[in-house]
Amino acid sequence: MTPDEMVERLINFAARVGKVVDALPDTRMGRHIGSQLVRSGTSPAPSYEEACAAESRADFVHKLSICLKELRGSRSWIRLIIKTEMLTEHRMAELLDECNQLCNMIGQSIVTAKEGKEKKRYDWNAVEQFAFFNLHFSIFNGLAQARPKFS
């Protein structure tokens, strides 16, 4: 999935969250959950956009982590809506599924970005070890060839 496709999915998620919030009952609990869900449900798209413009791998991981945090918060609010029967589970099922999918994709991106950092560090160490071994082997081999051979 390209970054543009992911942004589009996150924006569609935010739009769907907005429709759910508008459908919540006008009760104290409905207003509270709606207020929280509109915040957490609309912030992943801009957070992801910021991650795409990150200045470093660490910055990228940090900004994706914020995106994931907000998606997880949204998932909790959606589950609470279902639990309190403010809206039917049937009506909320697709939004909850999309939230779970987005959490999984962003979470995997974070894991991959972190592994890339560790892999580069490991690969560099392997290169250094290989070069060190080759240097010592070359020196030893050179000394062995420089010795006169006795018949």
Side-chain angles (χ1 to χ4, degrees), residues 27-62:
T27 62
R28 185 173 177 205
M29 186 73 144
R31 287 187 301 273
H32 173 70
I33 291 173
S35 175
Q36 295 297 320
L37 182 56
V38 81
R39 285 184 185 98
S40 64
T42 58
S43 67
S47 294
Y48 183 81
E49 290 269 18
E50 288 180 25
C52 290
E55 296 175 7
S56 66
R57 184 182 302 268
D59 190 34
F60 176 74
V61 168
H62 174 71

Side-chain angles (χ1 to χ4, degrees), residues 4 56 67 97 132:
D4 288 338
S56 66
C67 182
D97 181 56
F132 181 78

Side-chain angles (χ1 to χ4, degrees), residues 124-140:
W124 179 249
N125 286 337
V127 168
E128 286 177 332
Q129 289 171 1
F130 182 75
F132 181 78
F133 174 78
N134 277 342
L135 174 66
H136 285 289
F137 183 76
S138 297
I139 291 170
F140 177 76

Side-chain angles (χ1 to χ4, degrees), residues 49-144:
E49 290 269 18
E50 288 180 25
C52 290
E55 296 175 7
S56 66
R57 184 182 302 268
D59 190 34
F60 176 74
V61 168
H62 174 71
K63 289 177 179 174
L64 275 187
S65 296
I66 293 169
C67 182
L68 180 59
K69 176 183 169 190
E70 295 299 334
L71 284 166
R72 286 179 173 161
S74 298
R75 183 170 53 193
S76 293
W77 293 117
I78 292 167
R79 291 176 64 208
L80 185 57
I81 290 169
I82 295 167
K83 192 72 159 177
T84 58
E85 300 177 347
M86 288 184 183
L87 296 173
T88 65
E89 187 171 353
H90 175 71
R91 184 170 181 182
M92 299 299 296
E94 286 184 24
L95 186 62
L96 182 58
D97 181 56
E98 178 68 359
C99 190
N100 284 327
Q101 288 182 36
L102 291 169
C103 283
N104 290 339
M105 287 185 284
I106 297 295
Q108 187 58 53
S109 294
I110 292 168
V111 168
T112 301
K114 286 181 176 179
E115 283 177 351
K117 181 179 179 183
E118 291 167 7
K119 183 178 179 182
K120 278 188 173 180
R121 191 175 296 151
Y122 173 78
D123 288 344
W124 179 249
N125 286 337
V127 168
E128 286 177 332
Q129 289 171 1
F130 182 75
F132 181 78
F133 174 78
N134 277 342
L135 174 66
H136 285 289
F137 183 76
S138 297
I139 291 170
F140 177 76
N141 197 19
L143 290 174

